[in-house]
């Protein structure tokens, strides 16, 4: 599936950038193949515009923020670095330095503005009117949990590949043999799966290697421990991984696999823990999860990002019983496409977008 050619994904909120990244001025991002610029407006809220000035098409991300007097500042309107045309969060040009102060600016002088909001320490963007809410993270702000902003990085793969991998119990003994995988137990545990409107809930218990260096992570000292995994998938490209160890320690990972284009995604990862810094340092947790994600990244970047979604296309990819969560992800994505009059668009099709019906 080529995500940039599936219009429905433009109608979802995507985690795009940590707000801390915008503290020193505008930043560029590519979302679903569309170049946007993010900045913090005068009210302290993130804003997103098309990364093109309507004067001579320079990238607005080459500019900076200015206050009401046109002076450079950390947050405000965004000023083009070419000729100084200045835009508010609606995309309207509000100042042209070459004009006399009393001269009116045509309302036609504008660039495209996108829906942008702050949530969970990130700027979220929807390229069109969203049809679903941002997934709920109840631990955010809960005093019983600490939050660690772990990873914000580009991967050379697609959200579909990352999603199915995150629910795949059959790769642990191979991909993660140097971290938590148990080489002697390649047979995957079975999931209990419950579908819902936004995706599905998946629960299982797995064995996990627990060497001495991981004891503070798990809170137990057994060489082999267990992980009670309560997972959830949220349309289109988010997941929740809630790991509970026998010690009662909860290790909850939230991922948004944000589509940059058809071959790249942005990994956004939050970690919540119900222990303290004295129990296990944040740096130890970052180092542990980084080792695990490096293993995933290495193998996923070797796959074809144009992942099969419509399983009616026979002979493209084959599956086994343990792939059931990945097949459910495909099912929900196909239902979403069909509901909005789309079919899967993939490399080699004769036409770019293939509508099959008017959107419901």
């Amino acid at each position: 599936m080529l995500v940039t050619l599936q219009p429905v994904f433009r109608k979802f909120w995507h985690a795009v950038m940590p707000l801390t990244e915008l503290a020193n001025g505008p930043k560029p991002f590519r979302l679903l193949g569309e170049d946007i610029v993010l900045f913090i407006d005068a009210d302290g809220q993130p804003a997103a515009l098309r990364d093109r000035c309507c004067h001579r098409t320079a990238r607005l991300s080459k500019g900076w923020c200015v206050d009401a007097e046109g002076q450079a500042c950390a947050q405000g309107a965004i000023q083009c670095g070419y000729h100084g045309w200045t835009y508010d969060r609606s995309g309207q040009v509000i100042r042209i330095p070459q004009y006399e102060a009393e001269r009116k600016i045509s309302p036609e002088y504008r660039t495209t503005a996108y829906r942008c909001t702050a949530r969970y320490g990130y700027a979220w963007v929807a390229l069109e009117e969203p049809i679903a809410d941002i997934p709920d993270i109840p631990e955010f702000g809960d005093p019983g949990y600490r939050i660690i902003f772990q990873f914000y990085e580009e991967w050379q793969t697609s959200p579909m590949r990352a999603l199915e991998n995150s629910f795949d119990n059959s790769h642990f003994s191979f991909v993660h043999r140097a971290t938590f995988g148990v080489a002697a137990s390649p047979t995957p545990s079975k999931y209990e799966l419950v579908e819902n409107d936004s995706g599905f809930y998946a629960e299982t218990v797995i064995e996990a290697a627990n060497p001495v260096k991981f004891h503070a992570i798990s809170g137990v000292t057994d060489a082999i421990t267990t992980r009670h995994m309560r997972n959830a998938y949220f349309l289109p490209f988010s997941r929740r991984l809630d790991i509970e160890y026998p010690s009662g320690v909860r290790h909850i990972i939230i991922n948004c696999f944000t589509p940059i284009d058809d071959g790249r995604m942005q990994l956004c990862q939050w970690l919540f823990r119900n222990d303290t810094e004295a129990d296990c340092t944040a740096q130890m947790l970052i180092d542990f999860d980084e080792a695990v994600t490096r293993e995933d990244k290495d193998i996923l970047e070797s796959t074809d990002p144009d992942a099969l979604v419509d399983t009616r296309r026979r002979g493209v990819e084959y599956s086994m019983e343990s792939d059931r969560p990945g097949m459910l992800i495909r099912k929900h994505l196909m239902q979403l496409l069909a509901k909005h009059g789309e079919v899967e668009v993939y490399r080699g099709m004769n036409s770019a977008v293939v509508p099959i019906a008017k959107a419901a």
Side-chain angles (χ1 to χ4, degrees):
M1 179 176 65
L2 304 179
V3 291
T4 65
L5 300 180
Q6 307 283 180
V8 70
F9 297 139
R10 298 171 60 89
K11 300 176 181 179
F12 284 88
W13 290 105
H14 300 278
V16 166
M17 190 173 293
L19 296 174
T20 53
E21 294 280 322
L22 301 175
N24 297 318
K27 292 289 192 303
F29 191 84
R30 178 169 289 179
L31 177 60
L32 286 164
E34 192 125 344
D35 289 320
I36 64 177
V37 58
L38 294 104
F39 63 100
I40 302 295
D41 70 11
D43 294 324
Q45 297 301 310
L49 304 177
R50 182 170 181 256
D51 197 9
R52 288 290 181 195
C53 179
C54 67
H55 176 222
R56 287 296 180 266
T57 74
R59 292 193 180 276
L60 292 175
S61 55
K62 295 288 188 181
W64 46 84
C65 288
V66 294
D67 59 22
E69 284 70 46
Q71 300 301 308
C73 61
Q75 58 186 56
I78 185 170
Q79 186 171 64
C80 180
Y82 193 7
H83 295 93
W85 285 34
T86 304
Y87 299 78
D88 64 15
R89 68 172 296 123
S90 75
Q92 179 65 50
V93 176
I94 58 173
R95 185 182 301 111
I96 297 178
Q98 294 80 8
Y99 279 16
E100 300 82 3
E102 66 278 4
R103 183 173 174 182
K104 290 185 177 181
I105 298 173
S106 170
E108 293 182 351
Y109 292 4
R110 59 182 304 108
T111 193
T112 303
Y114 303 105
R115 293 150 189 84
C116 186
T117 191
R119 189 79 58 87
Y120 311 132
Y122 266 69
W124 295 68
V125 175
L127 297 177
E128 296 181 16
E129 184 66 32
I131 58 176
D133 293 332
I134 294 170
D136 183 42
I137 305 178
E139 292 77 17
F140 194 91
D142 184 335
Y145 288 87
R146 54 181 169 138
I147 179 173
I148 300 169
F149 293 94
Q150 282 192 312
F151 308 120
Y152 175 71
E153 59 189 37
E154 180 182 309
W155 285 22
Q156 306 295 310
T157 190
S158 61
M160 181 63 224
R161 293 298 186 203
L163 275 169
E164 66 178 349
N165 176 77
S166 69
F167 287 91
D168 177 12
N169 286 349
S170 64
H171 78 283
F172 296 160
S173 299
F174 304 95
V175 175
H176 300 302
R177 62 190 183 278
T179 51
F180 70 89
V182 180
S185 301
T187 303
S189 61
K190 291 186 177 181
Y191 270 114
E192 295 296 327
L193 294 159
V194 179
E195 295 185 68
N196 52 54
D197 290 340
S198 61
F200 59 81
Y201 172 81
E203 186 170 348
T204 190
V205 177
I206 70 164
E207 289 185 336
N210 188 45
V212 173
K213 63 181 178 179
F214 293 167
H215 287 180
I217 305 288
S218 64
V220 298
T221 58
D222 303 296
I224 302 293
T225 188
T226 59
R227 290 178 165 189
H228 188 165
M229 298 168 62
R230 303 175 180 92
N231 300 353
Y233 163 59
F234 304 99
L235 278 168
F237 305 127
S238 299
R239 69 109 180 204
R240 172 190 176 90
L241 169 60
D242 182 351
I243 298 170
E244 183 175 5
Y245 290 100
S247 61
V249 168
R250 300 282 286 277
H251 189 98
I252 301 173
I253 291 172
I254 307 296
N255 282 126
C256 289
F257 304 119
T258 300
I260 297 174
D261 53 31
D262 290 322
R264 298 178 297 161
M265 68 166 208
Q266 195 77 17
L267 171 69
C268 306
Q269 182 160 315
W270 298 256
L271 172 65
F272 298 89
R273 293 271 296 197
N274 63 343
D275 60 355
T276 68
E277 183 73 10
D279 296 320
C280 185
T281 67
Q283 191 57 56
M284 183 180 292
L285 292 164
I286 291 171
D287 292 344
F288 171 73
D289 280 338
E290 182 172 26
V292 173
T293 56
R294 290 290 76 75
E295 292 168 332
D296 284 321
K297 182 175 188 286
D298 181 62
I299 197 68
L300 288 177
E301 289 189 338
S302 75
T303 66
D304 183 351
D306 185 11
L308 169 76
V309 175
D310 188 344
T311 56
R312 293 172 298 181
R313 291 200 289 129
R314 310 299 295 176
V316 181
E317 296 181 21
Y318 299 95
S319 300
M320 54 186 173
E321 289 81 1
S322 60
D323 293 320
R324 189 182 171 203
M327 302 310 286
L328 274 184
I329 293 170
R330 288 167 168 82
K331 172 186 171 182
H332 281 266
L333 287 172
M334 284 299 295
Q335 288 175 341
L336 175 69
L337 295 179
K339 181 178 179 180
H340 293 270
E342 300 178 40
V343 296
E344 179 195 11
V345 181
Y346 53 91
R347 191 172 54 246
M349 290 185 71
N350 293 329
S351 56
V353 181
V354 185
I356 56 174
K358 187 173 290 187

